[in-house]
Amino acid sequence: MAWGDFGYMEDGRLGKPYDLGLLTRLAAQAKGKLKLIGLAGFLILLSTGLDLLLPYLTKTAIDDYIVRQALLVDLAKAGAAQVKALKQGLDRKIISTNDPGKVFVPEKAFKDLDPRVLARLRADGAIAKEPWHIVSSGPGVSEVMEARPGLFKEYGDRVLIKSSDLKKLSPDNLYKLRNSDITGLIWLAVIFLGACVLAAGLGFFQQVILERAGQEMMFELRQKLYAHILSRAPSFFTENAVGNLTTRLTNDVQNLNEMYRNSIIALCKDVVLLTGIVVVLLLLDVTLTLVCLVLVPVIAVAAWFFARLAREAFRALQGHLGRINARFQETISGISVLKLFRAEDYSANAFSRLNNAYFQAGMRQIKVFAVFMPLAGFFSNLAVALIIWYGGGQVIQDRLSLGALAAFLFYMQMFFRPVRDVAEKYNVLQAAMASAERIFNIMDNQTALSVVAKPSPFPDKEHLTVCFEKVTFGYLPSETVLQDISFAIPAGETWAVVGPTGAGKTSVVNLVLRLYDPWQGRVFLDGVDLRRADPLDLAAKVALVPQEVFIKSGTIKHNITLGRERVTEENLDMALSVTGAGEFVNRLEKGLHTKVGSGGQGLSAGQRQLIALARALAGDPGLLVLDEATSAVDPVSEKQIQRALPKVMQGRTSLVVAHRLSTVRRADNILVMKKGRICEQGTHAELLKKNGVYAGLVRHERLRG
Ligand code: TTP
Ligand code: MG
């Protein structure tokens, strides 16, 4: 992954990668996946082992098959101590000649010698410069030896030829001579290829297993979050904007996955690989390893410095992106107002400023990376230079084999790859920690209305009574919306609530449906305190036609049934015909199966209201609550709904917030609300006679005919 594509954060905040509390909670998420993760970890170990094997195979190819040289040592020129050390130290590796004073020593054996002994031997001129090739035994060897007898020396089962004399052999003979070396190389190449194929195979399984574990965790987390968010009380949704909640469920969860995949697992793999490399290098050559490791502190400081710069740049970028997102969301949701006032240009200008800031922040981040990436490359090349300088010198002095040098170069390249992207992983980790914090914030939100362990069932009756007992309530602690409300609706009656805007009519409705709990007092439905009722029972008994109709995208049928089991085909037909919604639905080409857009695109305001009425009725509720069910409707639809209402309410207890005099007049009782209190109540006639607030409303045509 390149940089920065971690989704957006509305506040541009980054988490602390070392927040232990968060890490523990995240680890708890992975609990069920331990087997999968363990299996993947094992595969990672295996494939890392294979990665480490490849340079070693290269070394073997060079040292054992390509370069097989020995040097002649004149023991007569060496001191007694050196001879002893040579004989004891190399023992069986030495090839004795016919002359007891002279021995051949394979080049790669010299490095096993104490460097001081080696230096002394060189200083004394005991080691000849001329290299000899050690012929490996093979079927064609004796044939070649017979053809060119003068070139070869035979000591026991070992045959040697001056390396410079190899050129004198015909290509054919050279091939015969080195036949077994070539076979060895072919075998090594096959093993190399096999290791590569195996590593690729392991990589596949490891990837699939890890991804599976990751995707499963994300799936479960999304599921949990969704259920949790849905079960919050309405106040939660006033505090948390939809856009932010959407980000929680999508981007933030994705960030966690990114962290898990690109950071934690990769980090573990890197640690295993780096440790493995250092161990193998130390085994190959301690001093050269230490020379290379001199660079590590320098790189560590550079990486730390870079991580800080990158963090700042990344945070700025995320902040700007968040602002763009928020701005765009707001603009689109208010698009009709924007168009109405022709404010597109103004909005475009504002957007262009945000966009420009985002662009600048992006450029800053790119610059930071543009410095670090070549720098990391530079260090990697510097390590190569060190190996060539110091290691090359060691090879010349026979303290290091050529194969080991090649392996060193190979390993160093491997070493720097993870170092290069450590800063990037750090970024992912930070973004993810911020996401985790926000997700857990939501998970910790306890605003859901309490549900008792053993809810009291409602009596199984068709009509319900509603009773408010000294209810006081508000949305914000500082503001009381309903003050000491008490009333009782007998079963089967229709009561109306009227009052000026903001009086608290919708708030009363909200309490009947237990969208909120009152601060003081109690709300009863058929004698059951709503706090003790089963929420599902309540939903089955009460239906609301809200002030603002909500239509979800899908078919009309689904909009009416909302997937509720108790909405039978029979109930559906009844609801359609009683409300009159069936008339317009039948006129549609696809009838009930017509698709509508979210927000009710494709439906008129009146049709939406009819659907909301049908939806309420289809559940056959014992209590029907209408909140200004005809408020947003044209006169024709209004008439239609007005006609439907008496039929809809027949045989049910209903509570109707209304501004229609015809509806109100029919009510068995009218509650008149003002500033959160019930100021009058009675029938239409009684209230008119009283000549109070209600009579005033009627007189001023606040209630229309
Ligand atoms: P409502 O109960 O909505 O008033 P209303 O239904 O009588 O008004 P209208 O005729 O316009 O529909 O509001 C009473 C007070 O409570 C008002 O000051 C706004 C406030 N309120 C909230 O703070 N949050 C809410 O979710 C609601 C519904 C109201
Ligand atoms: Mg209202």
Side-chain angles (χ1 to χ4, degrees):
M1 185 179 61
W3 50 75
D5 186 21
F6 314 122
Y8 80 91
M9 290 165 244
E10 52 273 13
D11 50 6
R13 234 161 37 82
L14 293 174
K16 294 191 227 78
Y18 30 80
D19 188 329
L20 272 183
L22 270 185
L23 282 175
T24 322
R25 288 187 76 172
L26 281 173
Q29 296 285 325
K31 222 171 174 183
K33 305 282 164 287
L34 282 184
K35 262 189 202 154
L36 278 183
I37 295 176
L39 184 58
F42 177 68
L43 292 181
I44 286 179
L45 273 183
L46 275 186
S47 68
T48 309
L50 285 175
D51 282 346
L52 287 173
L53 181 67
L54 298 185
Y56 199 83
L57 288 176
T58 314
K59 175 194 177 309
T60 313
I62 294 175
D63 286 347
D64 293 354
Y65 296 104
I66 299 176
V67 183
R68 298 171 51 91
Q69 295 195 136
L71 294 174
L72 191 61
V73 179
D74 191 346
L75 298 179
K77 288 187 186 164
Q82 280 79 38
V83 174
K84 193 170 163 222
L86 191 71
K87 285 202 165 155
Q88 272 175 0
L90 303 185
D91 186 28
R92 269 180 304 161
K93 291 178 187 161
I94 291 176
I95 304 167
S96 322
T97 65
N98 299 338
D99 179 352
K102 288 189 176 161
V103 290
F104 276 105
V105 178
E107 270 192 315
K108 66 171 185 175
F110 276 116
K111 68 171 190 344
D112 298 340
L113 216 52
D114 182 337
R116 279 166 308 181
V117 175
L118 187 61
R120 192 58 201 263
L121 283 171
R122 277 189 204 285
D124 292 344
I127 304 177
K129 294 264 185 303
E130 169 94 276
W132 286 69
H133 174 76
I134 309 166
V135 178
S136 8
S137 51
V141 175
S142 50
E143 202 181 306
V144 181
M145 281 170 69
E146 273 159 31
R148 305 294 304 264
L151 298 179
F152 294 91
K153 292 238 183 302
E154 207 173 347
Y155 305 113
D157 57 348
R158 313 299 286 267
V159 178
L160 289 108
I161 174 172
K162 272 189 188 156
S163 294
S164 54
D165 283 348
L166 285 174
K167 285 199 277 289
K168 295 180 185 163
L169 297 174
S170 65
D172 209 28
N173 279 341
L174 188 60
Y175 182 81
K176 277 184 195 150
L177 191 71
R178 303 210 61 175
N179 196 4
S180 68
D181 289 340
I182 290 166
T183 316
L185 280 180
I186 290 172
W187 272 113
L188 267 185
V190 168
I191 294 173
F192 197 100
L193 188 72
C196 290
V197 170
L198 195 59
L202 286 178
F204 168 78
F205 284 112
Q206 166 207 320
Q207 189 81 1
V208 169
I209 291 171
L210 269 184
E211 286 291 325
R212 169 142 203 126
Q215 293 297 335
E216 276 180 10
M217 275 194 292
M218 295 312 114
F219 172 83
E220 284 160 20
L221 187 59
R222 271 196 300 271
Q223 211 69 23
K224 256 196 246 169
L225 250 179
Y226 184 80
H228 185 79
I229 290 176
L230 250 56
S231 63
R232 292 312 86 192
S235 64
F236 174 83
F237 298 93
T238 22
E239 282 158 27
N240 295 279
V242 190
N244 291 354
L245 291 178
T246 315
T247 316
R248 288 309 85 81
L249 197 68
T250 54
N251 282 349
D252 281 338
V253 172
Q254 185 55 33
N255 275 356
L256 289 192
N257 192 27
E258 216 67 71
M259 161 175 95
Y260 160 79
R261 211 173 54 189
N262 281 343
S263 239
I264 296 187
I265 302 299
L267 228 51
C268 293
K269 191 173 173 169
D270 290 350
V271 168
V272 173
L273 184 69
L274 292 185
T275 319
I277 290 177
V278 171
V279 169
V280 176
L281 289 187
L282 282 173
L283 287 178
L284 278 178
D285 192 282
V286 179
T287 20
L288 187 53
T289 309
L290 293 180
V291 168
C292 292
L293 292 186
V294 163
L295 285 178
V296 168
V298 186
I299 296 165
V301 170
W304 176 77
F305 191 65
F306 168 72
R308 287 182 50 132
L309 283 181
R311 180 189 156 100
E312 275 317 306
F314 180 64
R315 188 169 62 187
L317 196 72
Q318 291 306 311
H320 288 299
L321 187 57
R323 280 189 275 283
I324 286 188
N325 259 299
R327 178 69 183 220
F328 188 62
Q329 235 166 39
E330 201 182 290
T331 310
I332 294 299
S333 52
I335 191 74
S336 49
V337 179
L338 204 72
K339 287 203 174 288
L340 214 54
F341 291 93
R342 304 283 181 271
E344 290 105 324
D345 282 352
Y346 168 76
S347 178
N349 280 337
F351 182 78
S352 149
R353 272 194 302 278
L354 288 180
N355 200 9
N356 188 42
Y358 181 51
F359 169 78
Q360 300 292 352
M363 286 313 294
R364 268 194 299 282
Q365 192 193 34
I366 285 167
K367 273 183 211 147
V368 171
F369 274 87
V371 171
F372 183 74
M373 286 302 168
L375 199 66
F378 171 76
F379 279 122
S380 147
N381 290 336
L382 194 62
V384 171
L386 277 177
I387 293 171
I388 291 175
W389 165 68
Y390 187 82
Q394 296 289 92
V395 172
I396 289 174
Q397 294 169 53
D398 277 322
R399 290 202 199 141
L400 186 72
S401 72
L402 192 62
L405 182 73
F408 251 90
L409 290 173
F410 211 147
Y411 280 123
M412 264 301 133
Q413 297 292 337
M414 275 166 87
F415 189 86
F416 275 91
R417 223 176 300 145
V419 171
R420 260 171 55 121
D421 25 77
V422 72
E424 209 177 296
K425 283 170 192 151
Y426 186 71
N427 263 355
V428 179
L429 206 61
Q430 290 181 98
M433 289 310 254
S435 288
E437 210 176 316
R438 287 193 296 260
I439 288 178
F440 287 139
N441 255 340
I442 301 262
M443 286 300 219
D444 292 343
N445 182 294
Q446 298 298 342
T447 59
L449 297 180
S450 61
V451 179
V452 290
K454 268 201 184 155
S456 330
F458 292 111
D460 199 17
K461 291 195 302 190
E462 257 180 54
H463 305 172
L464 296 173
T465 63
V466 182
C467 177
F468 270 54
E469 187 186 85
K470 295 195 164 149
V471 169
T472 298
F473 166 74
Y475 298 93
L476 301 171
S478 55
E479 206 179 326
T480 313
V481 170
L482 296 179
Q483 188 82 52
D484 203 21
I485 301 273
S486 296
F487 62 86
I489 310 177
E493 288 201 358
T494 297
W495 281 31
V497 184
V498 298
T501 184
K505 303 179 296 285
T506 299
S507 304
V508 167
V509 165
N510 284 344
L511 291 183
V512 176
L513 285 138
R514 204 192 172 208
L515 294 178
Y516 301 85
D517 278 332
W519 292 350
Q520 282 164 28
R522 288 183 292 179
V523 179
F524 296 95
L525 211 61
D526 246 3
V528 177
D529 185 343
L530 288 190
R531 285 181 222 256
R532 305 203 55 82
D534 183 337
L536 284 177
D537 264 4
L538 181 64
K541 292 281 181 189
V542 186
L544 166 73
V545 181
Q547 204 165 359
E548 281 159 34
V549 177
F550 164 74
I551 301 285
K552 57 190 272 171
S553 61
T555 59
I556 290 183
K557 181 171 180 182
H558 185 239
N559 259 295
I560 295 176
T561 61
L562 285 181
R564 293 171 294 177
E565 270 173 26
R566 64 175 187 285
V567 180
T568 56
E569 288 291 327
E570 212 179 353
N571 278 348
L572 182 64
D573 287 344
M574 178 272 293
L576 284 170
S577 68
V578 170
T579 57
E583 272 173 46
F584 96 81
V585 171
N586 287 336
R587 277 200 303 273
L588 297 172
E589 201 180 317
K590 289 187 183 159
L592 271 177
H593 301 288
T594 309
K595 284 215 167 88
V596 292
S598 65
Q601 273 133 16
L603 294 174
S604 74
Q607 290 170 337
R608 271 177 245 167
Q609 291 265 9
L610 286 175
I611 288 185
L613 266 180
R615 182 191 286 162
L617 209 59
D620 195 17
L623 171 66
L624 191 64
V625 183
L626 308 181
D627 192 354
E628 313 249 25
T630 59
S631 59
V633 179
D634 60 284
V636 178
S637 314
E638 185 168 4
K639 280 231 172 64
Q640 193 175 9
I641 295 173
Q642 286 302 327
R643 268 204 310 276
L645 278 182
K647 278 186 270 172
V648 169
M649 291 184 296
Q650 201 177 34
R652 299 171 207 283
T653 311
S654 4
L655 180 64
V656 185
V657 177
H659 57 201
R660 270 293 189 176
L661 201 52
S662 55
T663 316
V664 175
R665 191 184 291 158
R666 262 199 310 272
D668 298 303
N669 192 36
I670 303 166
L671 299 171
V672 186
M673 291 192 68
K674 199 176 169 184
K675 292 187 182 156
R677 290 173 186 274
I678 295 177
C679 57
E680 290 172 1
Q681 60 172 308
T683 60
H684 178 71
E686 283 166 13
L687 289 173
L688 277 187
K689 206 184 289 171
K690 207 171 189 177
N691 204 13
V693 179
Y694 180 79
L697 284 174
V698 174
R699 217 173 20 247
H700 292 113
E701 299 194 345
R702 297 291 282 276
L703 297 173
R704 287 184 285 136

